[in-house]
């Protein structure tokens, strides 16, 4: 039986060799991989590549000048890539259980129609509102559209004829925009499976289509395919020329930057889903019964319709934190974040999703399965639900899930939901928001974002998702692609992308972009501040200081820069330098609690305890009742021998939710005061905090040198420890 994993591994190894221009080694591996294949055309192709390459090397060895050498070498690499891909397809198609190869076998037995035949049927479909959408005409049309998807998705490298036929479809004015969107998605999915320059050039043509549903899907596809095949794309001068031409239009780069950010935003989807699942939903469930009990909302009376809502309800929402979390989710949604993945990921088991093409089908209220599910909703209710489904806040896949889920809801709850939607719709109309929602759904950025979310659901939720290349497992940093270097490489574009990465805490990736900017422009204060911050967050404090000093050169005495310089010096234990910058900050941010604390700590680290105490007393004054100040004052007082003052503050601490170290340190002070009974009492309590005697002994021994400095006899220290851990 064929080892699929071995075949795929061999394919990847050959791709790696070709990516690194190691053609001779790649050909050796291809020869091994085709040894047991009966297909004569594959072996013939291999022999042609091998022979041409052998002659080329021989001519080079003889010193023969060949002006076509580079062109020939490029063509040989292209053919080697293609041959390697073809071998993979040929080997896996007969027996692989993966869905792609299963469909190839199935449609080999049940041949799909040619593109011109499918085009005729799609063009013949007339969307007439007077025709019952459940008639065979609609169903035949949908079947033809599905067939179109499979025809393109499963196709090998396009011939010139097939390329022309696909363009005829794209340029037909009789084809619905939904059909063209499916065509573009099929081309993209086919390219992910099997590279074909003609299909990639088709996506560039689709990008220049006038319909947003088409051009936005095309540019998403372009971005994904360039990311996937960047290493081999330099072999195609026609692609380079096409991109160079598009670069003359600033909208191309702007669109790609937007797509890049939307793709990067997918990284946040799992975080958002976890936040909803772990924080928002549990909080709402936890407080639901409390709300019911506290405000008696389940009871009704004659005044239930009066506008007498308890103002405490809003206070409850504030205190519970739900309102803040919901506001955060709303803001994320308006940014284009995918906040519904968790909600809808479990709703992809309906029969509609058994057809793979439907995962990419733009939402169509006239789809036969949608009509079936909307049938029970009449008049205003149907219109209301329709307005929700036509909005831009749900991706296409989720809109279909929403439709099919509605029919699973009991009739009474459906009516209540419709009433709520009606009230919301009236409110929207009053505020003139309905038009805004509709126009938002038609924006290019909304369409592309919805499509990316559709793709994300397919690669993350589809039952056979593990059989497909999941590009969303990759970085999707298309700005790093050599193919798009001229398109996305401007300083302004790098600033935009770095800003997004920085905002989302992807500091290493942001750092690389900011460093590129400094190489080109020299950098300004803000850039160097952000470089320093990225380095600081990755604990490279020395390099962070270098960046902050560069920021200081460009914008001297900036409080933010000085504070971060102080922090980095402190973390490197360069306390005098840290103190220098904390004092600069203190001169501007007078009486700032954090700065006052850190100045005191720097003095303490340098054993200047008197100076440290003056700042800790200041902290106590500024932050009345500060437990942090008490601890600092108590410890410094102990170190400089002011035992009575130290004990005064430890007594305060022990009456305010003390920690283990408070009891331990109070024991030290009592021992220094020669009050052994009190010392043993404090120490005994400290022991109870430890999980074992060994843990307490480790903690106690950390202060051995301090105790000796306070004139505690060194020989008494192990005795005290034995006394404590062996007490009955």
């Amino acid at each position: 039986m064929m080892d699929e994993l071995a075949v795929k591994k061999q394919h990847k190894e050959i791709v790696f060799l070709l990516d690194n221009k190691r053609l001779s080694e790649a050909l050796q591996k291809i020869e091994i991989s085709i040894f047991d294949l009966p297909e004569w055309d594959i072996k013939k192709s291999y022999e042609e590549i091998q022979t041409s390459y052998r002659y080329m090397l021989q001519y080079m060895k003889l010193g023969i000048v060949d002006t076509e050498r580079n062109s020939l070498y490029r063509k040989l690499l292209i053919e080697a890539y293609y041959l390697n891909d073809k071998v993979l397809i040929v080997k896996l198609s007969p027996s692989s259980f993966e869905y792609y190869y299963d469909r190839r076998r199935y449609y080999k037995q049940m041949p799909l129609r040619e593109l011109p035949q499918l085009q005729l049927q799609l063009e013949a479909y007339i969307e007439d509102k007077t025709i019952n959408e459940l008639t065979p005409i609609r169903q035949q049309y949908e079947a033809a559209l599905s067939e179109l998807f499979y025809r393109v998705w499963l196709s090998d490298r396009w011939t010139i004829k097939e390329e022309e036929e696909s363009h005829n479809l794209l340029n037909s004015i009789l084809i619905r925009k939904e059909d063209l969107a499916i065509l573009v998605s099929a081309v993209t999915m086919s390219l992910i499976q099997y590279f074909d320059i003609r299909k990639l050039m088709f996506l560039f043509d689709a990008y220049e289509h006038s319909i947003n549903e088409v051009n936005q899907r095309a540019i998403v596809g372009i971005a994904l395919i360039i990311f996937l095949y960047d290493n081999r794309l330099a072999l195609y001068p026609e692609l380079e020329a096409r991109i160079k031409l598009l670069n003359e239009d600033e909208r191309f780069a702007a669109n790609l930057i937007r797509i890049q950010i939307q793709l990067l935003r997918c990284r946040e989807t799992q975080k958002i889903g976890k936040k909803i699942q772990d924080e928002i939903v549990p909080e709402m469930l936890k407080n639901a019964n409390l709300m019911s009990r506290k405000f008696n909302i389940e009871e009704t009376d004659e005044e239930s319709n009066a506008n007498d809502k308890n103002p405490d309800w809003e206070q409850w929402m504030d205190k519970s934190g739900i309102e803040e979390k919901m506001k955060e989710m709303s803001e994320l949604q308006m940014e284009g974040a995918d906040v519904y993945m968790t909600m809808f990921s479990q709703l992809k088991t309906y029969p509609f999703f058994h057809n793979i093409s439907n995962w990419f089908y733009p939402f169509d209220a006239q789809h036969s399965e949608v009509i079936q599910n909307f049938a029970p909703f009449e008049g205003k209710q149907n219109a209301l639900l329709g307005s929700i489904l036509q909005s831009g806040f749900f991706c296409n896949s989720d809109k279909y899930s929403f439709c099919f889920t509605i029919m699973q809801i009991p009739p009474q709850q459906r009516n209540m939901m419709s009433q709520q939607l009606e009230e919301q719709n009236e409110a929207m109309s009053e505020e003139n928001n309905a038009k805004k929602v509709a126009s938002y759904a038609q924006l290019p950025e909304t369409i592309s974002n919805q499509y990316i979310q559709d793709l994300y659901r397919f690669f993350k939720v589809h039952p056979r998702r593990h059989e497909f290349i999941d590009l969303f497992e990759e970085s999707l940093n298309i700005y790093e692609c050599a193919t798009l270097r001229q398109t996305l490489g401007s300083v302004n574009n790098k600033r935009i992308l770095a800003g997004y990465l920085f905002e989302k805490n992807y500091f290493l990736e942001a750092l690389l972009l900011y460093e590129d900017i400094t190489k080109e422009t020299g950098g300004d204060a803000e850039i160097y501040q952000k470089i320093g911050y990225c380095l600081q967050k990755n604990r490279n404090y020395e390099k962070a200081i270098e960046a902050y000093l560069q920021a200081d050169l460009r914008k001297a005495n900036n409080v933010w820069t000085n504070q971060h310089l102080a922090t980095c010096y402190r973390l490197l234990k360069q306390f005098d330098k840290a103190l220098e910058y904390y004092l600069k900050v203190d001169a501007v941010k007078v009486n700032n609690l954090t700065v006052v604390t850190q100045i005191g700590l720097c003095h303490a680290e340098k054993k200047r305890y008197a100076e440290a105490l003056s700042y800790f007393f200041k902290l106590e004054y500024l932050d009345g009742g500060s437990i942090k100040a008490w601890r600092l004052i108590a410890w410094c007082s102990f170190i400089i021998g002011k035992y009575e003052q130290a004990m005064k503050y430890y007594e305060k601490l022990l009456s305010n939710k003390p920690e283990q170290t408070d009891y331990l340190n109070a024991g030290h002070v009592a021992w220094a005061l020669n009050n052994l009974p009190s010392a043993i009492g404090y120490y005994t309590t400290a022991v109870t905090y430890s999980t074992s005697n060994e843990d307490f002994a480790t903690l106690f021994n950390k202060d051995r040198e301090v105790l000796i400095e306070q004139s505690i006899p060194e020989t008494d220290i192990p005795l005290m420890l034995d006394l404590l851990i062996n007490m009955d």
Side-chain angles (χ1 to χ4, degrees):
M1 183 177 178
M2 180 192 60
D3 187 341
E4 288 190 34
L5 292 178
V7 171
K8 291 180 178 180
K9 180 182 178 184
Q10 190 173 50
H11 176 266
K12 288 182 179 179
E13 289 173 351
I14 295 170
V15 168
F16 174 80
L17 292 171
L18 293 172
D19 285 346
N20 289 278
K21 306 298 184 290
R22 293 157 63 179
L23 180 55
S24 181
E25 295 171 77
L27 289 174
Q28 290 173 18
K29 283 188 173 289
I30 290 175
E31 183 178 20
I32 294 170
S33 69
I34 67 174
F35 177 76
D36 57 347
L37 290 180
E39 284 79 4
W40 67 270
D41 57 324
I42 287 180
K43 293 186 175 180
K44 180 183 177 185
S45 296
Y46 166 75
E47 291 295 339
E48 289 174 351
I49 298 170
Q50 180 69 278
T51 301
S52 297
Y53 191 47
R54 189 181 299 115
Y55 279 129
M56 192 183 83
L57 293 177
Q58 288 177 356
Y59 291 158
M60 183 176 178
K61 182 179 179 180
L62 294 172
I64 298 174
V65 177
D66 185 356
T67 58
E68 297 298 317
R69 180 183 297 151
N70 289 338
S71 177
L72 175 60
Y73 182 58
R74 177 178 57 79
K75 290 177 181 177
L76 292 176
L77 283 169
I78 288 173
E79 290 306 312
Y81 272 118
Y82 169 62
L83 183 59
N84 185 42
D85 292 343
K86 188 173 182 181
V87 169
L88 179 71
I89 299 290
V90 168
K91 283 196 168 187
L92 296 183
S93 289
S95 57
S96 173
F97 291 107
E98 289 187 2
Y99 188 70
Y100 177 80
Y101 299 106
D102 174 76
R103 293 296 86 188
R104 284 179 69 96
R105 288 194 300 274
Y106 176 80
Y107 287 117
K108 188 175 183 180
Q109 300 298 321
M110 305 284 293
L112 294 160
R113 285 177 286 175
E114 300 291 332
L115 289 179
Q117 295 173 283
L118 293 169
Q119 179 176 343
L120 285 174
Q121 183 168 354
L122 294 175
E123 288 177 339
Y125 176 74
I126 300 174
E127 190 175 10
D128 189 338
K129 301 301 181 184
T130 63
I131 296 177
N132 183 346
E133 293 293 345
L134 298 180
T135 61
I137 295 177
R138 173 73 196 198
Q139 293 169 343
Q140 289 169 10
Y141 155 75
E142 291 171 4
L145 190 56
S146 177
E147 193 174 348
L148 171 67
F149 179 88
Y150 282 103
R151 176 81 209 181
V152 174
W153 178 43
L154 302 174
S155 62
D156 292 333
R157 190 163 61 166
W158 272 349
T159 62
I160 294 176
K161 178 174 176 290
E162 288 172 319
E163 183 182 24
E164 291 175 352
E165 291 170 351
S166 66
H167 279 86
N168 290 338
L169 264 166
L170 180 66
N171 297 322
S172 172
I173 61 174
L174 301 176
I175 299 288
R176 301 172 75 230
K177 63 182 181 181
E178 292 84 357
D179 306 356
L180 296 178
I182 282 288
L183 173 62
V184 171
S185 292
V187 171
T188 301
M189 289 297 293
S190 181
L191 278 163
I192 291 173
Q193 200 77 40
Y194 189 20
F195 181 76
D196 179 1
I197 187 60
R198 288 193 173 107
K199 289 175 186 169
L200 180 53
M201 297 302 286
F202 173 88
L203 288 182
F204 278 93
D205 291 332
Y207 165 68
E208 298 188 85
H209 201 283
S210 60
I211 297 175
N212 284 338
E213 284 80 355
V214 177
N215 58 51
Q216 291 306 301
R217 288 194 176 214
I219 196 167
V220 170
I222 288 169
L224 293 175
I225 300 309
I226 287 177
F227 175 82
L228 183 60
Y229 296 108
D230 185 47
N231 286 324
R232 73 168 75 174
L233 295 181
L235 300 174
Y236 298 94
E238 63 268 41
L239 176 63
E240 182 182 356
R242 185 65 174 271
I243 292 176
K244 187 176 180 180
L245 182 63
L246 286 170
N247 286 342
E248 296 177 5
D249 184 349
E250 293 180 356
R251 291 174 297 179
F252 180 59
N255 280 329
L256 274 175
I257 289 291
R258 169 169 49 80
I259 298 302
Q260 171 67 99
I261 290 175
Q262 289 174 337
L263 289 171
L264 292 174
R265 197 179 286 140
C266 291
R267 298 181 185 181
E268 304 299 304
T269 301
Q270 288 185 336
K271 296 179 187 176
I272 294 169
K274 185 170 175 31
K275 188 178 188 71
I276 293 172
Q277 193 169 13
D278 295 349
E279 297 180 26
I280 295 179
V281 172
E283 191 69 28
M284 295 181 73
L285 292 174
K286 181 179 74 176
N287 287 284
N289 292 333
L290 172 64
M291 184 77 167
S292 178
R293 291 195 307 271
K294 185 174 181 180
F295 302 115
N296 204 23
I297 60 173
E298 290 182 347
E299 297 182 4
T300 59
D301 54 37
E302 294 178 356
E303 296 179 296
S304 62
N305 292 324
N307 186 17
D308 60 346
K309 295 179 180 177
N310 191 332
D312 288 343
W313 293 356
E314 292 184 5
Q315 295 176 13
W316 172 83
M317 286 286 285
D318 287 337
K319 291 177 182 177
S320 69
I322 291 178
E323 185 173 12
E324 182 180 349
K325 292 186 188 322
M326 295 304 291
K327 182 180 178 182
E328 182 182 353
M329 288 299 103
S330 178
E331 289 173 353
L332 286 169
Q333 181 183 7
M334 293 309 296
E335 290 175 8
D338 192 348
V339 300
Y340 296 115
M341 173 66 179
T342 300
M343 183 188 306
F344 284 100
S345 62
Q346 305 302 316
L347 302 177
K348 305 298 181 187
T349 57
Y350 297 105
F352 176 84
F353 293 108
H354 294 173
N355 184 341
I356 195 172
S357 65
N358 286 341
W359 288 78
F360 312 103
Y361 198 6
F363 181 75
D364 184 358
Q366 301 306 313
H367 193 284
S368 59
E369 294 194 42
V370 174
I371 292 294
Q372 286 177 337
N373 284 281
F374 266 74
F377 295 90
E378 297 179 354
K380 186 180 289 188
Q381 291 182 13
N382 199 337
L384 288 171
L385 289 171
S387 67
I388 297 296
L389 294 169
Q390 294 296 343
S391 75
F393 297 114
F394 298 96
C395 68
N396 301 284
S397 176
D398 288 352
K399 289 176 184 178
Y400 284 114
S401 295
F402 180 73
C403 286
F404 307 140
T405 304
I406 286 175
M407 292 312 297
Q408 311 302 315
I409 301 173
Q412 185 177 1
Q413 278 72 26
R414 285 207 306 265
N415 291 334
M416 290 175 61
M417 183 187 71
S418 296
Q419 290 173 8
Q420 291 172 351
L421 290 173
E422 184 175 353
E423 291 173 3
Q424 292 174 12
N425 191 63
E426 289 174 358
M428 286 173 57
S429 298
E430 290 173 5
E431 298 173 12
N432 197 29
N433 283 331
K435 290 183 179 179
K436 291 181 181 178
V437 171
S439 61
Y440 173 77
Q442 299 304 313
L443 293 173
E445 53 265 38
T446 303
I447 293 169
S448 61
N449 201 49
Q450 285 183 340
Y451 179 49
I452 288 171
Q453 290 177 7
D454 288 331
L455 289 168
Y456 189 87
R457 277 150 182 70
F458 174 79
F459 288 111
K460 297 296 183 183
V461 180
H462 191 278
R464 304 183 72 163
R465 59 190 175 277
H466 301 298
E467 299 174 10
F468 298 95
I469 299 172
D470 183 2
L471 289 174
F472 293 97
E473 287 292 315
E474 305 293 333
S475 69
L476 289 179
N477 291 342
I478 63 171
Y479 62 84
E480 295 179 344
C481 293
T483 308
L484 296 174
R485 186 173 293 125
Q486 296 301 315
T487 307
L488 303 180
S490 72
V491 170
N492 184 56
N493 287 337
K494 287 178 180 177
R495 272 185 178 269
I496 293 171
L497 292 173
Y500 177 82
L501 291 164
F502 184 87
E503 184 66 24
K504 296 301 180 182
N505 298 334
Y506 297 108
F507 295 119
L508 284 177
E509 290 166 284
L511 173 63
L512 294 174
L513 286 169
Y514 284 132
E515 287 179 337
D516 280 350
I517 293 171
T518 62
K519 291 174 185 176
E520 294 184 43
T521 67
D524 55 28
E526 180 182 332
I527 293 292
Y528 276 106
Q529 283 179 335
K530 289 182 174 179
I531 288 174
Y533 191 80
C534 290
L535 290 163
Q536 182 180 339
K537 284 298 180 180
N538 283 282
R539 301 184 180 183
N540 191 341
Y541 303 120
E542 292 181 351
K543 289 289 185 181
I545 287 171
E546 291 178 12
Y548 288 141
L549 290 174
Q550 288 295 323
D552 187 58
L553 284 174
R554 289 158 175 78
K555 190 176 182 180
N557 295 319
N558 179 268
V559 175
W560 188 93
T561 303
N562 286 338
Q563 187 155 0
H564 284 75
L565 274 167
T567 299
C568 289
Y569 279 122
R570 176 175 58 81
L571 292 168
L572 289 173
K573 300 188 182 304
Q574 298 181 31
F575 298 109
D576 284 332
K577 292 294 293 184
L579 186 59
E580 174 188 340
Y581 284 98
Y582 277 128
L583 289 171
K584 288 183 179 182
V585 176
D586 187 52
V588 179
K589 297 173 70 173
V590 180
N591 296 335
N592 179 274
L593 298 180
T594 300
V595 176
V596 169
T597 302
Q598 294 301 333
I599 291 174
L601 287 171
C602 286
H603 281 300
E605 291 286 356
K606 298 298 291 184
K607 301 187 183 303
R608 297 192 289 262
Y609 296 109
E611 292 93 333
L613 269 174
S614 67
Y615 280 95
F616 297 150
F617 279 123
K618 182 178 181 180
L619 176 64
E620 182 189 26
Y621 172 76
L622 294 172
D623 189 17
S626 169
I627 291 175
K628 178 192 290 185
W630 293 349
R631 284 199 177 96
L632 294 168
I633 292 170
W635 183 253
C636 283
S637 298
F638 170 60
I639 293 296
I640 63 175
K642 293 186 176 182
Y643 302 136
E644 298 292 346
Q645 180 172 281
M647 185 55 73
K648 170 187 169 184
Y649 278 94
Y650 278 121
E651 287 173 351
K652 285 185 177 184
L653 287 166
L654 296 180
S655 62
N656 284 274
K657 297 181 179 179
E659 297 176 357
Q660 181 183 25
T661 54
D662 297 326
Y663 284 105
L664 181 69
N665 295 338
H668 295 340
V669 176
W671 196 0
L673 286 167
N674 293 315
N675 188 345
L676 279 177
S678 292
I680 292 170
Y682 292 135
Y683 284 147
T684 302
T685 305
V687 170
T688 63
Y689 281 78
S690 294
T691 56
S692 68
N693 289 338
E694 289 76 10
D695 286 343
F696 179 77
T698 300
L699 183 66
F700 187 90
N701 282 321
K702 285 181 179 178
D703 293 338
R704 174 183 289 269
E705 296 302 321
V706 173
L707 292 172
I708 294 171
E709 289 173 3
Q710 301 306 314
S711 300
I712 302 296
E714 184 174 0
T715 55
D716 286 357
I717 294 174
L719 298 178
M720 175 64 79
L721 187 57
D722 276 349
L723 185 154
L724 293 172
I725 63 178
N726 291 293
M727 289 182 68
D728 294 328

